[in-house]
Amino acid sequence: MAITIRHDPHSHAHEESIPGTVNLAAKEGEETHYGQALFPVPSADPNDPLQWTKFKKHMIMFCACAFSFLGISALLGPAVYIGLWSAQFNVDPNTAAGLVNYPNLIFGFGSVILVPLYKRYGRRPVMLLSLVAYIGGIIGASQSTTYGGLLAWRIVHAFGSGVCEALPVQLVNDIFFLHERGKKLGWYTVALCLGATGPMFCGFMLAAGYSWNLFFYVELAFALTLLILCFLFVEESLYFRAPVAPSVGSSTSGSNLEVVTSAATTAEGDEKKRQPATAELSDNPVLHPQRKSWKQQLNIFPDKFDYTCDFWTMPLRAFTHLLVPSTFWVITTYGIYIGLCGFSFNFVFPMKIVQPPYSWPETNSGLSAIATFVGFGLALPLLPASDILAAKLTRRNGGVREAEMRLGVLIPAAFVAPAGQVLFGMAAARDLHWICYFIAIGITQWAGYFYFTLTLAYAVDSYNANLSEMLIIMNLGKQAISFGFSGELLNWILKHGYITIVVAAFVPILVVNNMMVFVFMIWGKRIRVTMANSWLARFHGKSVTQGEGH
């Protein structure tokens, strides 16, 4: 019986001795995208996640992105209710803000447990279990009548949804090729960032006269729907792919594999015209297993667990990734954009807009999220920009890809974000027209999209140690930094003023972080070479998982 596979397993692409440097030069007749060979090299097994259909892959990414959207929106959306909760629970506004700040901290720390779980026992069971925990927390929050009870249930749903910041990145690594990574991570980033528009939905519900409980009911309805979709479509992507040595030619004499190379080769840079590579495998149940049936794909657990994963020491090893410059840059980027920019917008705008000279009704205090929608909407057409730029530079470099080649897309964003933060601070301090707030938020979020996506893609590209360990410390670090900035944000502003805190204190921090793009563009490869020859690389090499750094 013939078995159809979709991608050519004869790719000659391979990683060079320096992590982050990949030779993507293709031999004649091999499948290419943007003029580059496939990497990672897929196996001839139809159950290899790299060989799954586009529909399967995109449904998995949709579910993962939807989980990210729900998790972030449930985390940040209730920022609109801080004033209401302050009055209802008889606490000061800064204490009421703890109903957002503390769940935000737990959101990151959930990775300490959930990432090692999915590393050993599979992505599918942990995703389903996390969704159940998230749903339970949402139900409890919707029924809470005390400050302590609401905080406890908020922590539960934040812990359950915390894995949604690691799983999408892991899934992109599992099921997509290098040439797709920037665009697919962009999908995740858009979902993550659009979750920050949660305050807008809360504001709409308040404007319609509904209580804050309704927000959690709506989140619950979507979460239950997502749980069903995940059960039906999110197949286990934990796959043990044997290293593939490059073949001598595009086809091998006597092989059981027959590749239709004419369909596999693409027009340079024109992915839309690509027809899937197909291959026929002779009936051999040992070398070439059949594609799993629909019923088998619905199994909760994978065929075998990854017992090479040391569940207890993995979180401890993750802290050593703080010494990896590209990883630390991701942590500071997310922490600063969430803690300085995101929380400034979510806390300051609702407080300012209900006071003179604006005097908006409190029910409209979440409308600033419209600016977030516009900002991210303007970024959407540029989703594949980093992949296209990297591909062009790769071809110029003789088919050799350097991790830094996608970073040029960050240069405009490096200057736009600080400008937006300055405008926001000045608008708040000088009571400028409300449109200034919207412009400031929109352009900052536009720039934030690129920094969220491309710093993460660069970190995954440039250091081939265990990705799961890297994701643990990324989530811990960025949530800790954002919590540190946001915990006393309102008190700092009320005490020192908008100019002093938002402009004079926050903007220089943002500028220094953004300017690091030039450091990595110029010296990034030298840094990678140094790291590859360090004791840290040897230490991480003891726990590396084949293919997890690509």
Side-chain angles (χ1 to χ4, degrees):
M1 177 181 177
I3 301 173
T4 300
I5 63 171
R6 292 168 177 80
H7 295 288
D8 183 5
H10 290 146
S11 173
H12 285 73
H14 59 278
E15 189 168 47
E16 302 287 1
S17 58
I18 303 171
T21 299
V22 183
N23 191 320
L24 300 177
K27 301 293 184 180
E28 183 178 356
E30 289 182 352
E31 180 178 358
T32 62
H33 297 260
Y34 298 123
Q36 306 164 107
L38 291 179
F39 188 82
V41 180
S43 69
D45 180 2
N47 296 303
D48 184 341
L50 292 174
Q51 296 286 10
W52 289 347
T53 64
K54 274 190 173 182
F55 175 79
K56 166 71 75 174
K57 292 181 178 183
H58 290 168
M59 279 302 300
I60 290 174
M61 278 307 297
F62 171 80
C63 291
C65 292
F67 193 12
S68 294
F69 174 80
L70 291 178
I72 296 294
S73 63
L75 184 68
L76 301 180
V80 171
Y81 301 133
I82 289 176
L84 293 178
W85 285 337
S86 176
Q88 180 176 342
F89 300 129
N90 195 27
V91 295
D92 63 84
N94 200 65
T95 301
L99 290 168
V100 177
N101 294 333
Y102 289 110
N104 177 55
L105 182 64
I106 297 299
F107 186 75
F109 277 79
S111 298
V112 174
I113 296 176
L114 297 175
V115 171
L117 277 176
Y118 82 56
K119 179 72 169 65
R120 172 176 285 191
Y121 300 110
R123 290 49 155 158
R124 177 176 168 83
V126 172
M127 187 173 188
L128 295 176
L129 177 66
S130 298
L131 264 171
V132 170
Y134 171 77
I135 289 170
I138 290 294
I139 293 174
S142 69
Q143 302 301 309
S144 297
T145 57
T146 65
Y147 176 88
L150 180 57
L151 178 60
W153 286 113
R154 290 268 294 155
I155 287 175
V156 170
H157 79 67
F159 177 85
S161 60
V163 75
C164 74
E165 287 211 308
L167 260 180
V169 182
Q170 183 70 59
L171 291 171
V172 167
N173 190 77
D174 289 346
I175 66 180
F176 292 107
F177 296 99
L178 179 62
H179 70 270
E180 303 173 289
R181 184 171 293 157
K183 184 176 181 179
K184 305 310 180 187
L185 285 176
W187 293 1
Y188 154 67
T189 304
V190 168
L192 189 71
C193 295
L194 288 180
T197 62
M200 180 179 67
F201 304 115
C202 293
F204 287 155
M205 294 175 196
L206 280 177
Y210 296 106
S211 71
W212 56 265
N213 305 80
L214 178 64
F215 175 73
F216 293 105
Y217 294 146
V218 174
E219 289 274 348
L220 176 62
F222 281 108
L224 289 171
T225 303
L226 181 59
L227 180 61
I228 296 172
L229 289 176
C230 287
F231 178 78
L232 293 177
F233 294 106
V234 179
E235 185 178 350
E236 179 55 59
S237 62
L238 176 61
Y239 183 80
F240 299 90
R241 187 180 302 111
V244 179
S247 56
V248 176
S250 61
S251 62
T252 303
S253 176
S255 172
N256 289 326
L257 182 66
E258 183 181 345
V259 182
V260 184
T261 56
S262 60
T265 304
T266 70
E268 184 175 286
D270 190 1
E271 189 174 4
K272 290 184 179 180
K273 293 183 180 179
R274 181 181 63 82
Q275 297 297 322
T278 61
E280 291 188 354
L281 307 180
S282 63
D283 193 8
N284 189 325
V286 177
L287 295 178
H288 306 298
Q290 297 286 336
R291 180 69 173 104
K292 291 180 179 179
S293 67
W294 174 254
K295 183 177 180 181
Q296 290 174 320
Q297 294 175 33
L298 294 180
N299 288 340
I300 300 296
F301 294 98
D303 295 333
K304 64 177 181 177
F305 299 140
D306 184 4
Y307 287 110
T308 63
C309 167
D310 192 333
F311 184 87
W312 301 109
T313 62
M314 186 177 173
L316 298 177
R317 288 197 308 270
F319 282 90
T320 62
H321 287 264
L322 288 171
L323 301 176
V324 180
S326 57
T327 302
F328 191 75
W329 191 31
V330 175
I331 293 171
T332 58
T333 295
Y334 274 77
I336 290 170
Y337 273 89
I338 295 172
L340 298 189
C341 304
F343 280 102
S344 293
F345 302 153
N346 288 336
F347 287 172
V348 173
F349 181 83
M351 180 176 64
K352 284 288 298 182
I353 208 67
V354 298
Q355 299 173 1
Y358 312 105
S359 301
W360 286 19
E362 191 168 353
T363 53
N364 290 338
S365 61
L367 293 181
S368 62
I370 294 175
T372 298
F373 265 118
V374 174
F376 293 137
L378 292 176
L380 284 177
L382 300 174
L383 278 176
S386 70
D387 290 330
I388 295 173
L389 174 62
K392 181 178 293 187
L393 295 177
T394 298
R395 293 194 298 272
R396 289 182 183 177
N397 197 38
V400 177
R401 163 78 71 91
E402 303 290 354
E404 293 76 23
M405 287 180 174
R406 67 171 77 246
L407 293 181
V409 177
L410 286 177
I411 294 176
F415 298 96
V416 169
Q421 195 72 3
V422 169
L423 178 58
F424 184 82
M426 295 299 295
R430 307 299 185 205
D431 292 331
L432 302 181
H433 193 278
W434 60 265
I435 196 64
C436 294
Y437 294 100
F438 280 65
I439 294 173
I441 294 172
I443 64 176
T444 303
Q445 301 288 35
W446 179 88
Y449 158 79
F450 294 102
Y451 266 86
F452 285 150
T453 302
L454 299 185
T455 57
L456 181 58
Y458 176 62
V460 175
D461 287 349
S462 63
Y463 197 69
N464 68 345
N466 192 305
L467 175 63
S468 302
E469 294 178 1
M470 189 186 298
L471 291 174
I472 290 176
I473 196 59
M474 283 180 181
N475 290 338
L476 279 175
K478 67 189 181 186
Q479 297 306 129
I481 291 176
S482 65
F483 176 80
F485 280 124
S486 65
E488 293 294 320
L489 177 63
L490 285 177
N491 286 341
W492 291 342
I493 289 174
L494 293 175
K495 182 179 180 180
H496 301 288
Y498 298 102
I499 297 294
T500 301
I501 299 300
V502 178
V503 178
F506 286 177
V507 170
I509 296 173
L510 182 61
V511 168
V512 170
N513 181 81
N514 284 6
M515 292 301 107
M516 289 301 296
V517 66
F518 296 104
V519 174
F520 285 106
M521 288 179 68
I522 297 171
W523 295 291
K525 185 171 182 178
R526 296 181 187 178
I527 294 172
R528 288 190 284 118
V529 171
T530 301
M531 294 302 301
N533 296 320
S534 68
W535 66 269
L536 189 61
R538 293 190 292 272
F539 176 76
H540 288 164
K542 297 176 182 178
S543 60
V544 69
T545 299
Q546 180 68 32
E548 273 218 340
H550 306 311

